[in-house]
Every structure is written in C-alpha cells, then in structure tokens.
Amino acid sequence: MRDDVIRDVAAPGRRALLRGVGGFGVAAALPGLGACSAGPQSTNDTGNGGSGKERTLTAVIGYGNDGSWDPTQTASAFSMAANNHVYEGLLDTDPITRVPYPALGTEVPKDPGATTWRFRLRPGATFHDGKPVTADDVVFVFDRILDPKTQTLAKGFFESWLQGVRKTGGDSVELVLKFPFPDGLSRLTLAKIMPKHVFGRPGAWDDAIKGLAVGSGPYRQTAHHPKSNTTFEAFDAYNGPRRPAFRKMNWLTIVDAAPRVAKISGTDAGAQIADNIPYANIGRLEQGGLKVAGGAGMNNLFLMFDTRHKPFDDIRVRQALHYAIDKEKMVEVALKGHGRAASSFLDQGNPSYRRARTVYDYDPDRAKALLKAAGVTDLSINILAVNVSWIVDCLPTIKASWDAIGVRTTLAPQETTAVFTKMDQRQDYQVVAAASDPNQFGLDADLIMHYNYGPQNLWMRYTRWADHPVARQLFKDMDRATREPDPGRKKAMVQDYIDVVAEQAVLYPVVHNELMTAWDPRLLTGIRAQPYPGINVLQAAWV
C-alpha cells in the first residue's frame, strides 16, 4: 500500500484506490463544498494562522494525499484519516478500542446477533452544504457498495453478510443481514454516509476520487492540494457526539522522513503533531519536549510475488526467499527494535493470533536447499518497492540476505503511485515490497484476511494466483469461516486457513512494526497515538 495499502474486489483500477492524479481541478459545483486545486502550493504552510485557541492545528502526515478520497474505494492512509473527520457512518468506532458508538445513527443495535438492524438518524444532522441527512442518502451509499455492477473496496467488507438496506421512513433505515454477523456493527464505520444530491451527479464519483469531500462530520474540507496539503475547518452546524475542538486544521503531506521530522521539531516547528516518526529520531524529539508514542499492530512489510513469472510459481522459491531474510537483523538495524518477525499473517496482539504452522525463521541453509530442490540457479531479482521511509530502511537487509544465498538482488524503490500503476497496467514484475496495515479498517481477522485474499480481490489479481487450486479451496474455507456462528469455532477456522496462507507465501508479511506519532504536549491534549497510519484528533484539543 503504498504510503498505505490497497485492496479491491474486482479491480476498478488505480483511480479507485490510493493512487490519485498528481494535479487536477475539481471546482466545487455546490456552495460550501471544498475545492481541489491543481498542483501543490508554493509553501506547505497554507492554512496556518491565528493564535491561542483559534490557531490552526498543523499536522504532518507521512503518506501521500493524492490517492482516492472516495470513502467506498480508498485505502489511502491520508484520505482515510481525513475522511474520519469529514464523514460519519451510522456507527463509528473508537480509533483505539475500535468499539462502535452512535454517529449518524442514534444508538447501537441492542442485539448484535439479530438479522435485522434498525437505525434512526440523528435529528438535525446536516451535510456540509447545509442539506439535511436523510434515509435516501444512507440507502444511496449502501446501494453503491452492494451493487454487483460497481466494484468498490467497501464491497469486500459488506457483501458476504449484508443482504441490503431499505428506507423505513424519512429518517430511518433497516439493514437486512444474510445471517447473524455481530462483527458487522464495527464495519459500519467503513460505510461513510455521503450526500446523494452531490455524489449522485454524473461524474461526481470521479470527483470524489480526486479529492471532493462532503460529509456530515465535525470538520469540512476547505481546500485540497495534491502532494502538498489539505485544509479543514470546524463545521459549526455539527451536532454529533465528537465536537470539533480546532477552528482550522492544515494537514501537510511529507513522505520523506527528514523534512517531516524537521517540521515538528526545533524552536521553529511549523506543526504540532506528526505521524510515521522514524525510530532513529524518537530520542531527539523527546529531548526537545515532544511526546512520542505508538503501538504494535498489523502494520507490516510484505512481499508479493507474481506467481505467473517463473520461478515464483514454485512454492519452494517463495518459501526460500522468506527463509533467507535475516528478520532479527532487520528489526534491530532498520526498526531499532520497534518490530517483530512475522510468525503469522496476523500480528501477535490480534485476538485471533496463533503461531502459524509455517514460520519463516532465519534459515539460509534451508533457503539454499529449497532453491536447489526447485532447480533454480543463477537467480536475479529486482525488488519493486514503495518509497515509504521505513520500508526503504528495511530493503538493504533483504538485499544482503538474498545476495548471501546467491540471489543477485537489486532494489528499485519508487513512489507508491508509480509502483501500483505498474500493477494496474499488468506490467511484468518479480517481487514487490510494500507496507500494509489492514487495521485501519478494523481488527477482526475475517476482515483482515478478506482485505488481502479473495477470488476477485485486487491483491490476488496482482499475484495472478486466484485460479490456483489451493487458492480456490482457501476462498471456500474463508467463506465458511465468515458464516460460522460460534465465535470459538470461527476463530479456529480462521487460524487454520491462515496456516495455508503462511505456507503458500504468495503475499505475506516479513515483519510487523510499531507506528510512532509525535506531538507537543505543551500545546495539545487528548492525543492518542494509533497503531495504524494517520491520526485522529476527534477527542483532542488545545491545552
């Protein structure tokens, strides 16, 4: 992913995901809508100003803001974090505990195991253009997500268990489930309610991809400059549960580590909070009075193989390359101890974690033996990698490890958009190294695994593996686990099919790491660092 990762169900293409155009014009056609400007600003400080409680909150995001902003499509770290401030679901989830709470809906259904959930919309809720939020808007969004002719990322989170959504009144809706699915309550935050009168217009979904954002949340987007910054303002008419504490916000996109750290440090710091803090800078930032915190989660460096590019169609070759990597060295040198070698697809903190049957502990001799058994000699690999700073730090360990077993390795880190444009254009590749964190969508293992694996999954299209007999059986096992009503049995079924994913090593993590956020506690209170990309300041305020 990227600056952040992606997945879709049937490959809508690069526009539908994190990868957006670098410059464009999306003029707001309706009053009060945020506008997108063509190209970056001459300075990243647009939006600063004011003093005291009225000053602008300036944040630095270590991921690009030029990916898709369509909430039904995006997996961009920047836009997902921003959309959580701009839009609301019927329910939203706490960014740390992930427990659902009423947002546009007035209450959480009392019976999570029911097959019908009824919601009444919050009285007086309005969109940022002043129009009221109605049941028609809710049905509009869910119809798009569930439409078999419209391929969205969100479809993969809902279609397996949600039959449909119907209007039962001007301010009430009913969700009809295919079977009891309590985990679906937390997933409702992934269906952000969007105004039908805006996004039902011809071409409006393209505008959403490019950056048009109109929601009912506590902040409204006021300007969007791809590859530079996006600005927000408190929505005065917001009457929901998490009121805006900042009059204005300016989120800067700075992917390179050094200028990102510089922006938040020193006497001339231009920002009060930044995510994706390099481990090497933690001590210096703390000495300068900043608070640095984070958490371990699903964030990982993964390898993805083109299984139709020989010899990567051979499971022994894929396994050999995983066994060859000195992961402990990677954790020590590149991650400064802030990570763990992967022992499952899931991180060790996940409630469904179990050590996989196949664990790729460092074993160069076994790697050489597997390559020999596969008849592979004189192998050269070009690693196509994203240029996310911590991924770039890890790449030399991969190269040194593979070189050591006789695999000549070259590194080719590029902008995330460039890497996945190649994927979308079906260009030939050998191995991709990128970062992923499906925890930005939620914590349940069913969601996490379907994010990465599925018969029409975009990741599976990239790997060219979906038609393999093992893959076809895996997808059946995953569907059975989704429908399993007993929580204990479901957990065991998920763990069993993760063993298959581990053994096949088609798309599989190398290390899970911590994501660090830094902020100035002398200026901000209520900040909670999240263990996935982006920030959430819905419960923060000026000191």
Side-chain angles (χ1 to χ4, degrees):
M1 172 158 118
R2 57 166 180 49
D3 299 297
D4 42 11
V5 222
I6 40 187
R7 173 240 191 216
D8 200 351
V9 207
R14 70 186 294 268
R15 296 182 312 153
L17 299 165
L18 76 156
R19 306 167 300 285
V21 292
F24 49 79
V26 181
L30 299 174
L33 306 192
C36 299
S37 302
Q41 291 291 282
S42 58
T43 171
N44 271 331
D45 292 327
T46 302
N48 283 344
S51 60
K53 302 286 186 182
E54 295 299 307
R55 73 182 299 183
T56 297
L57 172 69
T58 300
V60 183
I61 309 299
Y63 306 94
N65 74 337
D66 58 339
S68 173
W69 280 67
D70 174 359
T72 72
Q73 296 278 39
T74 192
S76 160
F78 191 111
S79 58
M80 282 196 70
N83 283 343
N84 285 333
H85 295 74
V86 171
Y87 291 99
E88 298 176 281
L90 290 171
L91 303 178
D92 282 329
T93 59
D94 183 87
I96 306 301
T97 68
R98 313 311 284 267
V99 173
Y101 64 87
L104 275 174
T106 55
E107 64 178 2
V108 178
K110 293 181 174 60
D111 183 5
T115 54
T116 300
W117 295 335
R118 296 177 178 87
F119 290 92
R120 186 168 298 279
L121 299 180
R122 187 176 70 235
T126 61
F127 289 112
H128 297 156
D129 62 356
K131 302 288 179 62
V133 181
T134 69
D136 290 327
D137 299 305
V138 178
V139 173
F140 167 71
V141 169
F142 278 100
D143 280 353
R144 171 175 168 79
I145 291 172
L146 297 175
D147 182 359
K149 298 180 181 178
T150 303
Q151 301 306 328
T152 63
L153 172 62
K155 181 186 265 82
F157 302 142
F158 291 95
E159 69 172 346
S160 64
W161 57 273
L162 183 60
Q163 182 67 43
V165 177
R166 57 194 178 209
K167 174 181 175 181
T168 56
D171 65 347
S172 60
V173 296
E174 188 174 76
L175 277 63
V176 180
L177 282 62
K178 297 177 181 178
F179 48 86
F181 192 69
D183 288 341
L185 288 177
S186 62
R187 295 192 192 186
L188 293 182
T189 188
L190 301 173
K192 299 301 187 186
I193 306 307
M194 306 169 72
K196 180 178 180 180
H197 64 273
V198 174
F199 294 101
R201 296 178 292 113
W205 290 112
D206 285 338
D207 291 345
I209 290 169
K210 297 173 182 177
L212 180 64
V214 185
S216 61
Y219 293 94
R220 65 183 186 90
Q221 186 199 84
T222 53
H224 177 55
H225 307 288
K227 298 190 177 183
S228 174
N229 69 307
T230 304
T231 61
F232 310 87
E233 188 174 274
F235 179 41
D236 292 333
Y238 178 74
N239 66 348
R242 300 201 169 179
R243 302 281 300 173
F246 305 104
R247 174 50 44 191
K248 294 182 179 181
M249 297 194 298
N250 181 30
W251 288 20
L252 315 176
T253 170
I254 305 179
V255 177
D256 292 340
R260 184 167 66 251
V261 171
K263 198 69 178 178
I264 197 176
S265 59
T267 56
D268 297 325
Q272 298 84 41
I273 183 171
D275 79 340
N276 198 13
I277 296 299
Y279 308 119
N281 296 106
I282 293 174
R284 180 167 64 86
L285 293 176
E286 289 178 335
Q287 290 174 4
L290 298 185
K291 173 72 174 178
V292 184
M298 268 296 296
N299 202 63
N300 65 86
L301 180 157
F302 68 87
L303 297 180
M304 178 173 68
F305 295 92
D306 182 346
T307 61
R308 292 187 186 172
H309 185 133
K310 290 185 178 299
F312 309 109
D313 59 332
D314 192 318
I315 185 176
R316 293 169 295 186
V317 175
R318 301 192 299 266
Q319 289 183 338
L321 293 172
H322 272 278
Y323 279 121
I325 298 173
D326 189 345
K327 302 172 188 65
E328 296 304 327
K329 180 180 178 181
M330 181 182 290
V331 169
E332 177 186 354
V333 175
L335 304 182
K336 309 301 181 187
H338 293 273
R340 285 179 173 174
S343 55
S344 166
F345 199 96
L346 302 175
D347 67 284
Q348 293 187 29
N350 188 282
S352 294
Y353 168 83
R354 182 181 75 192
R355 183 176 170 88
R357 188 173 60 228
T358 304
V359 176
Y360 296 100
D361 295 324
Y362 179 48
D363 194 339
D365 290 335
R366 188 170 185 177
K368 293 177 189 177
L370 284 166
L371 290 178
K372 183 177 180 180
V376 173
T377 58
D378 199 31
L379 178 61
S380 296
I381 294 179
N382 180 71
I383 302 178
L384 182 62
V386 299
N387 67 343
V388 178
S389 54
W390 74 270
I391 295 290
V392 172
D393 291 342
C394 289
L395 292 177
T397 300
I398 299 179
K399 173 177 169 52
S401 297
W402 288 358
D403 285 346
I405 62 167
V407 176
R408 295 188 305 278
T409 308
T410 57
L411 305 175
Q414 302 174 23
E415 286 191 358
T416 298
T417 50
V419 172
F420 287 100
T421 295
K422 290 180 171 66
M423 301 293 98
D424 291 331
Q425 294 174 348
R426 299 178 183 267
Q427 293 185 26
D428 189 40
Y429 76 97
Q430 296 175 294
V431 184
V432 165
S436 174
D437 195 336
N439 277 172
Q440 62 187 339
F441 302 108
L443 291 177
D444 70 272
D446 179 272
L447 179 153
I448 290 169
M449 299 311 298
H450 279 85
Y451 173 80
N452 290 280
Y453 284 84
Q456 296 181 343
N457 184 290
L458 185 58
W459 290 113
M460 293 298 96
R461 191 190 78 164
Y462 291 161
T463 63
R464 284 90 167 177
W465 189 64
D467 292 332
H468 193 283
V470 174
R472 290 198 295 267
Q473 183 60 49
L474 170 68
F475 303 149
K476 291 178 182 178
D477 293 341
M478 293 174 70
D479 289 341
R480 278 195 289 268
T482 297
R483 293 175 174 271
E484 173 57 48
D486 180 77
R489 175 62 182 155
K490 179 175 183 174
K491 180 178 179 179
M493 294 170 70
V494 170
Q495 292 170 335
D496 286 346
Y497 75 64
I498 287 177
D499 283 343
V500 176
V501 170
E503 179 184 46
Q504 292 295 314
V506 171
L507 185 157
Y508 201 71
V510 176
V511 291
H512 293 102
N513 76 328
E514 294 181 79
L515 286 175
M516 311 303 293
T517 300
W519 67 94
D520 192 334
R522 297 161 296 193
L523 299 174
L524 297 175
T525 184
I527 298 294
R528 294 183 295 163
Q530 56 193 36
Y532 52 94
I535 61 172
N536 187 300
V537 295
L538 292 180
Q539 293 179 295
W542 294 116
V543 172

